[in-house]
Amino acid sequence: MRTIAILGATGSIGTQALDIVRRYPDRFRADCLTANTNAEKLFELVREFQPTAAALNVVPDYIPEDIRPVQWFFGPDATVRALAATQPDDALCAIVGIAGLDAVMRALDVCERVLLANKEALVTGGDLVTAKAAERSVPLLPVDSEHSAIFQCLQARHDNPVRRLLLTCSGGALRDWKKRDMYAATVRDVLAHPTWNMGGKITVDCATMVNKGLEVIEAHHLFAMPAEKIDVVIHPQSVVHSMVEFEDGAVLAQMGMPDMRGPIGYAMGYPRRLPYDAKPLDFAALGHLDFAAPDHDRFPCLGMAIEALKTGGSAPVILNGANEAAVGAFLRGQIPFGRIAEVIDATLQALPVRPIASIADVHAADEEARERAFMELGMRN
Ligand code: NAD
Ligand code: MG
């Protein structure tokens, strides 16, 4: 039996992780549940899972009588306080955005293992996160499907060097759109992801393909690979979740139907695979698997992210902060889709790249990037 904190319990990843807890009550106890603002949904989850502690980023108007005995934490640092109070064996970090970085760092202090979905924590604080994980010998188990695939392929590595990581990419909702139509794509167009059902922010990130750029940065940190050895390949069916190429030319792939409960369950159960009645892969029904090179002209954000990784320092933090600001504005209907890439580019051009030596440096660079991005958007932060 392992105790687990589900940080971001009300989200797409969080609720799917709780499905697994529900299925394996003898293996997992959800000991700490946290959420941003959705008090009602968190109350329901607390009622069902009876954790030791629960945290909400805001202060709710009331707490229902029956769940008052749970240890409650409210406010911006509620997540980290709840983690410290419960000290679970594992933490599933599934908060979206840089908002989850402090929780990842805290989880590395108090947990035996960190199950990482929150890619923005690695994009912005990657060197600090991996250094702390190494110093405390805490395994960082990837939950992002591509990184889980690579992690699974690397189980066959032994001491052999890796020549290349190949990240597959569905192409997002606008994969087949003409460039001239993309600028004015609506929130509705963009949220219609072809293969995965995810939170709003990451679905927009898939449509700009900045998500794949963030994942290149994530892979760089998780697997200590330079940007030059990480390639992206478009694969519309999302069946090959990613691949590893070795020096003899052998390529190992991890495959399965697109279902996040696969990678979430793999991280939760690691090193055991949890039996799960996922839809089996039917190769004959699929008939073919397609692959193509990414189109950098229609999807400039991918290249911007890879460049930011190569530049280093605060460049990935600037990219991420500008993206979070622009995606928020797009989801609120304040800017057209095409402005997202323009704002990221303009923010990267405008701001100096600074060295990052601490989490405080990361937050300072993030603040500066958001302010600048909102200025580009003609809005107040
Ligand atoms: P989501 O929007 O569905 O859920 C986000 C969760 O984080 C919610 O529980 C929300 O309450 C919480 N949260 C948001 N802002 C917060 C804040 N400021 N403080 C505390 N909690 C906050 O997002 P998601 O799709 O589940 O994605 C979560 C993370 O996992 C992201 O980093 C995403 O890139 C990554 N990821 C998601 C998927 C997927 O299938 N959804 C796949 C791969 C990676
Ligand atoms: Mg992914």
Side-chain angles (χ1 to χ4, degrees):
M1 170 70 90
R2 293 188 76 79
T3 54
I4 184 167
I6 313 279
L7 312 181
T10 54
S12 159
I13 294 286
T15 50
Q16 293 180 85
L18 287 168
D19 275 350
I20 298 171
V21 172
R22 214 175 260 128
R23 232 186 143 89
Y24 290 100
D26 50 334
R27 276 175 179 267
F28 305 107
R29 171 175 155 73
D31 210 26
C32 173
L33 300 178
T34 82
N36 189 20
T37 54
N38 192 343
E40 289 303 325
K41 186 154 180 189
L42 186 65
F43 292 160
E44 257 174 54
L45 295 174
V46 165
R47 192 167 287 124
E48 178 181 354
F49 291 96
Q50 301 281 325
T52 305
L56 202 56
N57 205 22
V58 291
V59 183
D61 299 333
Y62 76 108
I63 308 175
E65 192 72 45
D66 62 315
I67 51 171
R68 275 192 202 157
V70 167
Q71 250 184 290
W72 283 97
F73 297 87
F74 302 119
D77 59 350
T79 309
V80 293
R81 285 188 291 129
L83 260 180
T86 46
Q87 311 220 344
D89 298 327
D90 295 347
L92 172 68
C93 297
I95 291 173
V96 60
I98 195 175
L101 174 60
D102 291 353
V104 170
M105 292 300 279
R106 197 74 184 111
L108 288 168
D109 282 327
V110 303
C111 299
E112 281 173 20
R113 313 190 308 174
V114 169
L115 286 44
L116 193 72
N118 181 204
K119 66 189 78 182
E120 297 90 347
L122 278 182
V123 169
T124 57
D127 290 336
L128 303 164
V129 169
T130 52
K132 184 168 232 185
E135 178 196 314
R136 295 212 58 250
S137 304
V138 174
L140 270 178
L141 299 170
V143 169
D144 211 349
S145 59
E146 296 76 2
H147 306 76
S148 174
I150 289 168
F151 182 70
Q152 293 181 49
C153 294
L154 289 175
Q155 309 292 312
R157 173 187 191 167
H158 303 296
D159 289 329
N160 295 295
V162 167
R163 188 193 275 166
R164 197 161 59 120
L165 303 179
L166 287 130
L167 290 179
T168 52
C169 173
S170 71
L174 307 184
R175 184 187 60 225
D176 302 322
W177 282 45
K178 295 213 164 46
K179 191 179 176 185
R180 63 166 187 273
D181 297 330
M182 288 173 69
Y183 199 91
T186 64
V187 171
R188 211 189 146 128
D189 294 328
V190 164
L191 291 188
H193 192 281
T195 46
W196 298 100
N197 185 7
M198 309 175 287
K201 191 257 177 187
I202 185 177
T203 309
V204 178
D205 287 351
C206 287
T208 59
M209 269 192 211
V210 81
N211 180 57
K212 209 49 54 176
L214 301 181
E215 291 186 353
V216 169
I217 303 174
E218 183 184 11
H220 158 77
H221 289 294
L222 282 171
F223 307 115
M225 289 291 277
E228 293 71 21
K229 291 187 170 188
I230 308 172
D231 284 347
V232 171
V233 59
I234 304 299
H235 168 48
Q237 292 91 355
S238 301
V239 160
V240 175
H241 297 313
S242 277
M243 299 176 268
V244 176
E245 183 182 285
F246 291 93
E247 289 198 319
D248 59 355
V251 177
L252 300 193
Q254 187 263 328
M255 296 188 249
M257 290 300 281
D259 180 342
M260 280 309 292
R261 273 167 290 217
I264 298 169
Y266 186 74
M268 286 173 69
Y270 183 78
R272 311 284 317 160
R273 286 180 184 276
L274 303 173
Y276 169 58
D277 52 4
K279 221 171 137 198
L281 204 51
D282 182 341
F283 284 95
L286 274 165
H288 56 96
L289 295 175
D290 300 312
F291 299 96
D295 179 345
H296 288 282
D297 182 40
R298 282 188 307 132
F299 298 99
C301 294
L302 173 59
M304 287 184 224
I306 295 170
E307 268 318 300
L309 170 59
K310 290 180 181 166
T311 303
S314 61
V317 187
I318 298 171
L319 170 104
N320 181 73
N323 182 56
E324 288 192 23
V327 169
F330 172 69
L331 284 170
R332 289 189 299 272
Q334 294 168 320
I335 58 166
F337 179 76
R339 280 295 282 146
I340 299 173
E342 291 176 355
V343 166
I344 298 173
D345 189 37
T347 308
L348 281 165
Q349 301 290 335
L351 295 182
V353 172
R354 303 184 198 279
I356 296 285
S358 66
I359 293 292
D361 291 344
V362 175
H363 287 303
D366 174 60
E367 271 297 305
E368 196 182 12
R370 276 166 205 271
E371 243 165 60
R372 182 72 204 198
F374 279 113
M375 207 178 97
E376 296 292 339
L377 290 167
M379 291 172 195
R380 294 176 68 89
N381 191 347

